Amino acid sequence: MADAAQAFVQEVWGLQGTAYLVVCLRYYSRFTHLGWRGLSWDDAIMFFAVLVYTAESVMAYLVVAYWKGLANNDMTDAQRATLDPESEEWRLRVNGSKTHVVGLLLYTTLLWLLKACWLVYYARLTDGVNNMHRWIRWGIVIVATTYVACLLVAFFKCIPFNHQWQINPSPGNNCMPAISSLQTIFVMIMNTATDFYLMAIPLPVVWKSHLPWRKKVVLLVMFSGGLLEMVFGILRCVSILVLGDVDPAQSGYWSVRESFVSVVLTNMPMVYPLFRKFIEKAGSVTRSKGASQGDSKGYKLGSVPGRGEPMVRRQKPSASIPNDTAWGSKENIIVEREQTLAGSDDASMELPKHQTGVVSFAQGRTPSRSTSKGPDDRIVVTTEYTVTEAAPQGSKNFSRREY
């Protein structure tokens, strides 16, 4: 038992250190691309999530290292009746049960804080996409409701509340926090259902986008990380229900592991840009240098040029996704939008009826008119207008072409 406890203690702090590294990379990526003013609510939520994750790991450590994995379960009625309230085992079981109660509340709070991070991120990622704001609003309602429901189960599954660390007589399964079937199954169901809903927000947008398949697959895999979280949640539930009465520390084991996976996956969209250049380099050896530079900032979903079109040409928005957002992390979305808006105040506006226009941007330059026709010069703006004016004397047509 001592060897297993020592191995788990090493695992806890190893996972903790790795999670800290991933979160630090997240903030480094955010600061590098956006600066302090570019931080968003999900960055603040992640900070509190890290604090909760640290506290949860401490609780798991106490359960194993200090309370010897004991709680108010795995005892016969005869053992409960003969156990001396002044004994060391009594103290270990009572404190172990109390620690389990706190640890489960922290575990639930952490998972739902991470869900809130995803919602804030998806709200930015899908900004402007038709009807996606409704999905986000419903997501807020669902996440808040399921979290409150989990808390209500945690507090009211055992009444009075202090029976959750009662030794004699047996308080019943609902009052044994290490193996409570009601709380374990309920939290697993709520966690799985909300993860399914959260994955349903970005995946259809990415699937319908005009991104190259290579980038599309990367995003689909990244946003499908909730499936891995579900697997760990189900493993946690099964382990507690099957082995919990023999080893109450199972709750701490799998809670820490699932929390670690959730923290890492939630930060992946922010950390990915740091490694994207290295990841893409292997699959883009045939890409020209100019194309690579143009791709480094990412495309808006639905606005990726086709094979036969110049890389610098701006396409009309997709019919299915009118105001598509950028692929990859929000750092690139914001950088692209800021650069586009800095280049043209009308870059994101549609032309009015009876007026059409095509604007081509030279990479890294502010749009301006050029009349030079030299061999090394580049045409910065191409404009073609057709204006129909209604007048009492009749309609007047004006056409203008500029190259």
Side-chain angles (χ1 to χ4, degrees):
M1 183 67 179
D3 292 340
Q6 184 62 30
F8 176 68
V9 169
Q10 294 176 355
E11 180 183 359
V12 167
W13 300 126
L15 296 178
Q16 190 81 16
T18 305
Y20 285 157
L21 176 60
V22 173
V23 174
C24 288
L25 290 176
R26 170 205 176 94
Y27 285 115
Y28 172 77
S29 177
R30 298 285 285 170
F31 296 152
T32 301
H33 288 86
L34 306 176
W36 290 92
R37 295 183 179 181
L39 298 182
S40 184
W41 278 107
D42 55 326
D43 298 303
I45 296 174
M46 180 55 65
F47 175 77
F48 289 107
V50 170
L51 296 181
V52 174
Y53 177 49
T54 303
E56 181 199 3
S57 297
V58 170
M59 293 300 105
Y61 171 77
L62 292 177
V63 166
V64 175
Y66 277 77
W67 316 132
K68 312 301 180 184
L70 298 176
N72 64 345
N73 60 298
D74 190 23
M75 299 179 69
T76 64
D77 291 338
Q79 289 174 328
R80 293 177 186 277
T82 58
L83 185 62
D84 184 4
E86 302 297 327
S87 66
E88 177 68 10
E89 182 180 350
W90 182 286
R91 184 182 72 87
L92 293 176
R93 288 187 177 277
V94 169
N95 290 334
S97 299
K98 292 180 179 179
T99 305
H100 271 293
V101 172
V102 177
L104 290 171
L105 291 175
L106 291 172
Y107 161 79
T108 304
T109 301
L110 172 63
L111 291 187
W112 265 257
L113 280 174
L114 297 177
K115 296 177 195 298
C117 281
W118 279 115
L119 276 175
V120 175
Y121 175 68
Y122 289 155
R124 297 200 314 271
L125 186 70
T126 60
D127 183 24
V129 180
N130 281 349
N131 299 323
M132 293 309 297
H133 64 283
R134 297 182 182 177
W135 285 80
I136 299 298
R137 290 174 183 174
W138 275 109
I140 295 173
V141 173
I142 291 172
V143 169
T145 302
T146 52
Y147 176 63
V148 172
C150 289
L151 291 184
L152 291 176
V153 170
F155 282 104
F156 295 106
K157 72 179 188 297
C158 177
I159 299 176
F161 187 77
N162 60 4
H163 280 190
Q164 294 197 81
W165 49 86
Q166 177 176 293
I167 303 298
N168 188 41
S170 174
N173 180 268
N174 286 346
C175 294
M176 297 179 184
I179 62 169
S180 173
S181 300
L182 174 61
Q183 182 171 1
T184 301
I185 295 175
F186 186 83
V187 172
M188 186 269 293
I189 293 175
M190 294 296 100
N191 185 35
T192 303
T194 50
D195 282 342
F196 266 121
Y197 184 88
L198 291 176
M199 285 193 302
I201 296 176
L203 294 183
V205 179
V206 175
W207 182 262
K208 295 177 182 178
S209 70
H210 295 174
L211 291 172
W213 272 104
R214 180 172 53 84
K215 295 183 177 69
K216 187 179 294 188
V217 169
V218 170
L219 292 180
L220 290 174
V221 171
M222 185 184 301
F223 294 140
S224 298
L227 294 174
L228 185 59
E229 295 181 32
M230 294 178 203
V231 170
F232 272 81
I234 294 173
L235 287 175
R236 173 184 176 275
C237 181
V238 172
S239 298
I240 292 174
L241 297 180
V242 174
L243 302 175
D245 205 34
V246 178
D247 183 8
Q250 287 293 321
S251 176
Y253 296 161
W254 286 100
S255 296
V256 169
R257 291 163 185 165
E258 182 184 358
S259 298
F260 167 76
V261 172
S262 299
V263 170
V264 171
L265 291 176
T266 304
N267 285 281
M268 274 297 100
M270 308 301 176
V271 176
Y272 174 69
L274 295 177
F275 306 98
R276 188 177 60 207
K277 292 182 181 180
F278 301 99
I279 295 175
E280 291 185 340
K281 187 176 181 180
S284 60
V285 292
T286 59
R287 188 189 307 172
S288 66
K289 182 178 180 181
S292 298
Q293 292 174 347
D295 186 53
S296 62
K297 297 298 183 183
Y299 297 113
K300 287 189 176 183
L301 294 178
S303 64
V304 177
R307 290 186 179 180
E309 297 181 278
M311 183 65 68
V312 297
R313 181 164 180 148
R314 180 188 175 97
Q315 288 187 334
K316 293 179 64 178
S318 170
S320 59
I321 310 177
N323 295 310
D324 300 319
T325 54
W327 72 278
S329 69
K330 179 58 185 172
E331 299 90 320
N332 294 303
I333 299 173
I334 293 179
V335 170
E336 182 187 13
R337 286 181 178 173
E338 288 177 349
Q339 289 181 344
T340 303
L341 292 177
S344 173
D345 294 335
D346 299 325
S348 60
M349 297 176 59
E350 293 184 0
L351 294 174
K353 198 171 183 179
H354 300 301
Q355 179 174 320
T356 58
V358 180
V359 182
S360 299
F361 295 89
Q363 182 68 27
R365 299 186 181 182
T366 302
S368 60
R369 297 182 179 180
S370 173
T371 57
S372 175
K373 298 293 196 307
D376 296 329
D377 293 333
R378 300 172 62 184
I379 298 177
V380 180
V381 176
T382 300
T383 308
E384 181 178 351
Y385 294 104
T386 301
V387 180
T388 301
E389 178 181 353
Q393 296 80 7
S395 299
K396 297 181 179 179
N397 295 326
F398 300 92
S399 298
R400 175 185 176 183
R401 294 191 179 187
E402 181 179 333
Y403 297 93

